[in-house]
Structures are given as C-alpha cells and as structure tokens.
Short mmCIF file of all heavy atoms in Angstrom, two decimals:
data_model
loop_
_atom_site.label_atom_id
_atom_site.label_comp_id
_atom_site.label_asym_id
_atom_site.label_seq_id
_atom_site.Cartn_x
_atom_site.Cartn_y
_atom_site.Cartn_z
N ILE A 12 -32.35 -16.02 -8.29
CA ILE A 12 -32.40 -15.40 -6.97
C ILE A 12 -31.02 -14.88 -6.57
O ILE A 12 -30.87 -13.76 -6.08
CB ILE A 12 -32.95 -16.40 -5.94
CG1 ILE A 12 -34.45 -16.62 -6.16
CG2 ILE A 12 -32.69 -15.91 -4.50
CD1 ILE A 12 -35.05 -17.72 -5.32
N GLN A 13 -29.99 -15.69 -6.80
CA GLN A 13 -28.63 -15.26 -6.46
C GLN A 13 -28.18 -14.10 -7.34
O GLN A 13 -27.48 -13.18 -6.88
CB GLN A 13 -27.67 -16.44 -6.61
CG GLN A 13 -27.91 -17.53 -5.56
CD GLN A 13 -27.17 -18.81 -5.89
OE1 GLN A 13 -26.02 -18.97 -5.52
NE2 GLN A 13 -27.83 -19.72 -6.58
N LEU A 14 -28.60 -14.12 -8.60
CA LEU A 14 -28.27 -13.03 -9.52
C LEU A 14 -28.87 -11.72 -9.01
O LEU A 14 -28.18 -10.69 -8.92
CB LEU A 14 -28.80 -13.36 -10.91
CG LEU A 14 -28.45 -12.41 -12.04
CD1 LEU A 14 -26.98 -12.50 -12.39
CD2 LEU A 14 -29.30 -12.73 -13.28
N GLY A 15 -30.16 -11.76 -8.67
CA GLY A 15 -30.81 -10.56 -8.15
C GLY A 15 -30.21 -10.11 -6.84
O GLY A 15 -30.00 -8.91 -6.60
N ALA A 16 -29.89 -11.08 -5.97
CA ALA A 16 -29.31 -10.74 -4.67
C ALA A 16 -27.97 -10.05 -4.84
O ALA A 16 -27.62 -9.14 -4.07
CB ALA A 16 -29.14 -12.01 -3.83
N GLY A 17 -27.20 -10.43 -5.85
CA GLY A 17 -25.91 -9.78 -6.10
C GLY A 17 -26.07 -8.29 -6.36
O GLY A 17 -25.35 -7.47 -5.79
N PHE A 18 -27.03 -7.95 -7.24
CA PHE A 18 -27.25 -6.52 -7.53
C PHE A 18 -27.74 -5.78 -6.28
O PHE A 18 -27.30 -4.66 -6.01
CB PHE A 18 -28.28 -6.37 -8.65
CG PHE A 18 -27.73 -6.67 -10.02
CD1 PHE A 18 -28.15 -7.79 -10.72
CD2 PHE A 18 -26.79 -5.84 -10.61
CE1 PHE A 18 -27.65 -8.07 -11.98
CE2 PHE A 18 -26.29 -6.11 -11.87
CZ PHE A 18 -26.72 -7.23 -12.55
N LEU A 19 -28.63 -6.40 -5.53
CA LEU A 19 -29.18 -5.72 -4.35
C LEU A 19 -28.13 -5.55 -3.27
O LEU A 19 -28.13 -4.55 -2.54
CB LEU A 19 -30.38 -6.51 -3.82
CG LEU A 19 -31.58 -6.58 -4.79
CD1 LEU A 19 -32.70 -7.42 -4.20
CD2 LEU A 19 -32.08 -5.18 -5.14
N VAL A 20 -27.20 -6.51 -3.15
CA VAL A 20 -26.10 -6.37 -2.19
C VAL A 20 -25.22 -5.17 -2.56
O VAL A 20 -24.81 -4.39 -1.70
CB VAL A 20 -25.27 -7.67 -2.12
CG1 VAL A 20 -23.91 -7.41 -1.47
CG2 VAL A 20 -26.02 -8.74 -1.36
N LEU A 21 -24.95 -5.00 -3.85
CA LEU A 21 -24.14 -3.86 -4.29
C LEU A 21 -24.86 -2.54 -4.02
O LEU A 21 -24.25 -1.57 -3.54
CB LEU A 21 -23.81 -3.99 -5.78
CG LEU A 21 -23.00 -2.83 -6.37
CD1 LEU A 21 -21.64 -2.70 -5.69
CD2 LEU A 21 -22.83 -2.99 -7.88
N VAL A 22 -26.16 -2.51 -4.31
CA VAL A 22 -26.93 -1.29 -4.06
C VAL A 22 -26.92 -0.95 -2.56
O VAL A 22 -26.72 0.21 -2.17
CB VAL A 22 -28.38 -1.46 -4.57
CG1 VAL A 22 -29.25 -0.28 -4.12
CG2 VAL A 22 -28.40 -1.58 -6.09
N ALA A 23 -27.11 -1.97 -1.71
CA ALA A 23 -27.09 -1.75 -0.27
C ALA A 23 -25.71 -1.30 0.20
O ALA A 23 -25.58 -0.40 1.04
CB ALA A 23 -27.50 -3.03 0.47
N GLY A 24 -24.66 -1.90 -0.36
CA GLY A 24 -23.31 -1.53 0.01
C GLY A 24 -22.98 -0.10 -0.37
O GLY A 24 -22.31 0.63 0.37
N ALA A 25 -23.49 0.33 -1.55
CA ALA A 25 -23.26 1.71 -1.98
C ALA A 25 -23.96 2.69 -1.05
O ALA A 25 -23.44 3.77 -0.75
CB ALA A 25 -23.75 1.89 -3.41
N ALA A 26 -25.14 2.31 -0.56
CA ALA A 26 -25.91 3.19 0.34
C ALA A 26 -25.23 3.36 1.69
O ALA A 26 -25.37 4.41 2.34
CB ALA A 26 -27.32 2.64 0.53
N LEU A 27 -24.46 2.36 2.10
CA LEU A 27 -23.80 2.43 3.40
C LEU A 27 -22.80 3.59 3.48
O LEU A 27 -22.60 4.18 4.54
CB LEU A 27 -23.07 1.11 3.70
CG LEU A 27 -23.95 -0.10 4.02
CD1 LEU A 27 -23.08 -1.34 4.21
CD2 LEU A 27 -24.79 0.15 5.27
N GLY A 28 -22.19 3.91 2.34
CA GLY A 28 -21.19 4.97 2.33
C GLY A 28 -21.76 6.37 2.31
O GLY A 28 -21.03 7.34 2.51
N GLY A 29 -23.07 6.47 2.02
CA GLY A 29 -23.68 7.79 1.95
C GLY A 29 -23.49 8.43 0.59
O GLY A 29 -22.79 7.91 -0.29
N ASP A 30 -24.11 9.57 0.41
CA ASP A 30 -24.04 10.29 -0.88
C ASP A 30 -22.61 10.74 -1.17
O ASP A 30 -21.94 11.32 -0.32
CB ASP A 30 -24.95 11.51 -0.84
CG ASP A 30 -26.42 11.13 -0.78
OD1 ASP A 30 -26.74 10.00 -1.17
OD2 ASP A 30 -27.22 11.97 -0.32
N GLY A 31 -22.18 10.46 -2.38
CA GLY A 31 -20.88 10.94 -2.83
C GLY A 31 -19.71 10.07 -2.44
O GLY A 31 -18.62 10.20 -3.00
N ALA A 32 -19.90 9.17 -1.46
CA ALA A 32 -18.80 8.30 -1.03
C ALA A 32 -18.64 7.14 -2.01
O ALA A 32 -19.61 6.67 -2.60
CB ALA A 32 -19.06 7.77 0.37
N LYS A 33 -17.41 6.69 -2.17
CA LYS A 33 -17.16 5.56 -3.04
C LYS A 33 -17.56 4.26 -2.35
O LYS A 33 -17.50 4.13 -1.13
CB LYS A 33 -15.70 5.51 -3.46
CG LYS A 33 -15.32 6.64 -4.41
CD LYS A 33 -14.08 6.31 -5.21
CE LYS A 33 -13.88 7.33 -6.33
NZ LYS A 33 -12.76 6.98 -7.21
N THR A 34 -17.97 3.28 -3.16
CA THR A 34 -18.42 1.99 -2.64
C THR A 34 -17.21 1.17 -2.21
O THR A 34 -16.19 1.12 -2.91
CB THR A 34 -19.21 1.23 -3.72
OG1 THR A 34 -20.28 2.05 -4.18
CG2 THR A 34 -19.76 -0.08 -3.18
N ALA A 35 -17.34 0.50 -1.06
CA ALA A 35 -16.26 -0.36 -0.58
C ALA A 35 -16.06 -1.52 -1.55
O ALA A 35 -17.02 -2.11 -2.05
CB ALA A 35 -16.59 -0.89 0.81
N VAL A 36 -14.81 -1.88 -1.81
CA VAL A 36 -14.50 -2.89 -2.83
C VAL A 36 -15.03 -4.27 -2.46
O VAL A 36 -15.27 -5.11 -3.34
CB VAL A 36 -12.96 -2.93 -3.06
CG1 VAL A 36 -12.25 -3.59 -1.87
CG2 VAL A 36 -12.64 -3.65 -4.37
N ILE A 37 -15.27 -4.52 -1.17
CA ILE A 37 -15.78 -5.82 -0.76
C ILE A 37 -17.11 -6.14 -1.45
O ILE A 37 -17.41 -7.30 -1.74
CB ILE A 37 -15.96 -5.88 0.79
CG1 ILE A 37 -16.41 -7.27 1.23
CG2 ILE A 37 -16.94 -4.82 1.26
CD1 ILE A 37 -15.41 -8.36 0.96
N PHE A 38 -17.88 -5.10 -1.77
CA PHE A 38 -19.18 -5.34 -2.39
C PHE A 38 -19.04 -5.75 -3.86
O PHE A 38 -19.94 -6.40 -4.41
CB PHE A 38 -20.09 -4.12 -2.23
CG PHE A 38 -20.48 -3.88 -0.80
CD1 PHE A 38 -19.85 -2.89 -0.04
CD2 PHE A 38 -21.44 -4.67 -0.19
CE1 PHE A 38 -20.19 -2.69 1.28
CE2 PHE A 38 -21.79 -4.47 1.14
CZ PHE A 38 -21.16 -3.49 1.88
N ILE A 39 -17.94 -5.39 -4.48
CA ILE A 39 -17.66 -5.89 -5.83
C ILE A 39 -17.34 -7.38 -5.77
O ILE A 39 -17.83 -8.18 -6.59
CB ILE A 39 -16.50 -5.11 -6.47
CG1 ILE A 39 -16.91 -3.65 -6.67
CG2 ILE A 39 -16.08 -5.74 -7.80
CD1 ILE A 39 -18.10 -3.45 -7.60
N PHE A 40 -16.56 -7.78 -4.77
CA PHE A 40 -16.28 -9.21 -4.60
C PHE A 40 -17.56 -9.98 -4.28
O PHE A 40 -17.74 -11.11 -4.74
CB PHE A 40 -15.25 -9.41 -3.48
CG PHE A 40 -13.84 -9.12 -3.89
CD1 PHE A 40 -13.30 -7.86 -3.75
CD2 PHE A 40 -13.06 -10.12 -4.46
CE1 PHE A 40 -12.00 -7.58 -4.14
CE2 PHE A 40 -11.75 -9.85 -4.86
CZ PHE A 40 -11.22 -8.58 -4.70
N LEU A 41 -18.47 -9.37 -3.52
CA LEU A 41 -19.71 -10.06 -3.15
C LEU A 41 -20.66 -10.21 -4.34
O LEU A 41 -21.28 -11.27 -4.51
CB LEU A 41 -20.41 -9.29 -2.02
CG LEU A 41 -19.78 -9.43 -0.63
CD1 LEU A 41 -20.50 -8.53 0.37
CD2 LEU A 41 -19.82 -10.89 -0.16
#
C-alpha cells in the first residue's frame, strides 16, 4: 500500500504543476 501510495503521490504532485512544468522536488522526497 505504501509502495503504491508513493507512486500516486508523485503523479499527483506532477499534476499540480500543470502541463510542461517541472515537478517540485518535495515529491521526490515523499
């Protein structure tokens, strides 16, 4: 569950920046 949640957190974090924007580094730590 934690493994899957990690990937989904990164996907959600990438979506926050919008198309073409780079992902915030905090989501890599998460």
Side-chain angles (χ1 to χ4, degrees):
I12 288 172
Q13 292 167 87
L14 186 70
F18 284 111
L19 296 178
V20 163
L21 178 61
V22 172
L27 289 177
D30 292 338
K33 290 202 169 185
T34 305
V36 73
I37 184 64
F38 293 102
I39 295 299
F40 283 90
L41 286 175

